[in-house]
Amino acid sequence: MRIADKWQDYKILETSDGEKMESWGGTTLVRPDPQIIWKSEKSPAWNDADAFYHRSEKGGGWWEYKKKLPESWKISYGDLKFIIRPTGFKHTGLFPEQAVNWDMMADMIKNAGRPIKVLNLFAYTGGATLACANAGASVSHVDASKGMVQWARDNAQASGLSDKPIRWLIDDCEKFVRREIRRGNFYDAIVMDPPSYGRGPGGEVWKLEDCIYDLVKVCADVLSDNPLFFLLNSYTTGLSPSVMAYILNDVLCEKFGGVVSADEIGLPVLKTGMPLPCGSTAVWKSK
């Protein structure tokens, strides 16, 4: 497991019985996490958390605030700054475990010795976009949600990266890639963080396990002749790191050579020192 252990402004304080208690820049939130099946003894600090997210049996849920919090606030990771805002679906606008991938991508871009064009698909609030742009890449940031793209732009402004070569695109990711292929617009690196499940504007059902192989194959055709990396994330427990590695090997290695690695990624839990698994990443790299 690769662990995002360089955070200063974010910490998982404790975990127990389906919940994690986190510090986001000093604001303490308790949120559900289905992987936390252990029932460790909770310290009294749980009672002092600033806000608790409760799931609804009908889907979604709501926040219970123990004290008045600002609508949003900022935390930092190195040079990058992120706006944190609790949403109605338990999320805060950031997945801190992805910091291990931000660092890895930034290192590859800085050491490439050439200009790098990155395509960030399902790009959410822009963590990978900011990390790649800050490392010197030009980035096309694609997400179907107008609100998420604006949030990402706000994060770029907060990080002092508004003048970097970033294209902000509100679009269906697969349709955008197919148009880029037709236009002859190719990329040296791809970051892909697709949802586990969703519906398209025409009611089309997206299920990651059923769709991911075909999507990777399409995206392989938008890579340049000398690509640098292809990074694939998953939060679906049914899609193991080894399965994702197999897909990237099958689609990319025969065409481009290179090597594939895959791991769980996680975050340290302050109370125990043990890592909490938070998802999986497979990455193809050129040799």
Side-chain angles (χ1 to χ4, degrees):
M1 182 186 294
R2 294 187 295 122
I3 302 171
D5 56 4
K6 297 180 182 178
W7 278 98
Q8 300 295 319
D9 286 359
Y10 172 84
K11 292 180 177 62
I12 298 179
L13 305 174
E14 297 184 34
T15 61
S16 180
D17 198 15
E19 294 182 313
K20 55 188 173 185
M21 180 169 60
E22 308 161 289
S23 174
W24 295 84
T27 297
T28 307
L29 306 179
V30 173
R31 298 191 295 157
D33 189 317
Q35 295 210 87
I36 301 171
I37 61 174
W38 48 90
K39 298 181 181 181
S40 308
E41 183 177 353
K42 293 183 176 181
S43 75
W46 287 78
N47 299 321
D48 298 326
D50 298 318
F52 296 76
Y53 186 86
H54 302 286
R55 288 195 180 278
S56 168
E57 293 181 357
K58 299 178 180 179
W62 72 96
W63 286 95
E64 175 190 5
Y65 292 97
K66 296 298 185 179
K67 74 173 189 180
K68 185 174 177 58
L69 297 179
E71 180 183 345
S72 64
W73 62 96
K74 296 175 185 175
I75 67 171
S76 298
Y77 184 78
D79 296 334
L80 308 180
K81 291 183 171 54
F82 300 99
I83 298 166
I84 302 305
R85 184 182 301 124
T87 71
F89 292 93
K90 88 169 182 177
H91 297 302
T92 62
L94 192 67
F95 294 97
E97 67 275 5
Q98 287 296 325
V100 291
N101 288 329
W102 304 339
D103 291 342
M104 178 177 64
M105 290 185 290
D107 286 344
M108 285 190 284
I109 290 165
K110 289 175 183 176
N111 293 321
R114 57 189 170 99
I116 298 297
K117 285 177 60 180
V118 175
L119 176 59
N120 187 11
L121 300 172
F122 309 96
Y124 195 50
T125 59
T129 294
L130 270 58
C132 292
N134 191 53
S138 58
V139 185
S140 292
H141 173 109
V142 188
D143 197 284
S145 168
K146 181 179 180 180
M148 289 301 133
V149 173
Q150 184 57 54
W151 197 334
R153 294 184 72 135
D154 293 342
N155 282 335
Q157 183 176 17
S159 299
L161 298 173
S162 294
D163 61 341
K164 296 294 182 180
I166 303 171
R167 288 200 299 163
W168 305 102
L169 300 149
I170 303 164
D171 208 337
D172 177 272
C173 289
E174 183 174 349
K175 291 178 181 177
F176 174 80
V177 169
R178 291 186 184 276
R179 288 197 303 272
E180 290 288 84
I181 294 168
R182 292 195 297 269
R183 288 187 285 244
N185 194 10
F186 301 105
Y187 295 85
D188 304 299
I190 294 177
V191 185
M192 189 189 298
D193 203 344
S196 300
Y197 181 86
R199 288 188 179 272
E204 311 92 335
V205 175
W206 162 274
K207 189 175 179 183
L208 184 61
E209 296 94 323
D210 295 339
C211 302
I212 189 60
Y213 182 82
D214 291 337
L215 182 58
V216 171
K217 285 203 74 171
V218 171
C219 289
D221 290 337
V222 83
L223 285 169
S224 67
D225 292 335
N226 186 24
L228 184 63
F229 65 83
F230 190 126
L231 188 143
L232 173 61
N233 286 310
S234 172
Y235 300 94
T236 302
T237 54
L239 198 64
S240 70
S242 297
V243 168
M244 293 196 298
Y246 198 104
I247 292 171
L248 293 187
N249 265 294
D250 187 67
V251 174
L252 298 174
C253 286
E254 183 176 349
K255 184 175 182 180
F256 297 110
V259 294
V260 174
S261 60
D263 292 286
E264 284 188 293
I265 57 175
L267 289 158
V269 178
L270 190 64
K271 183 178 182 181
T272 63
M274 293 186 291
L276 175 67
C278 300
S280 301
T281 296
V283 58
W284 172 90
K285 301 178 184 178
S286 61
K287 287 187 177 179

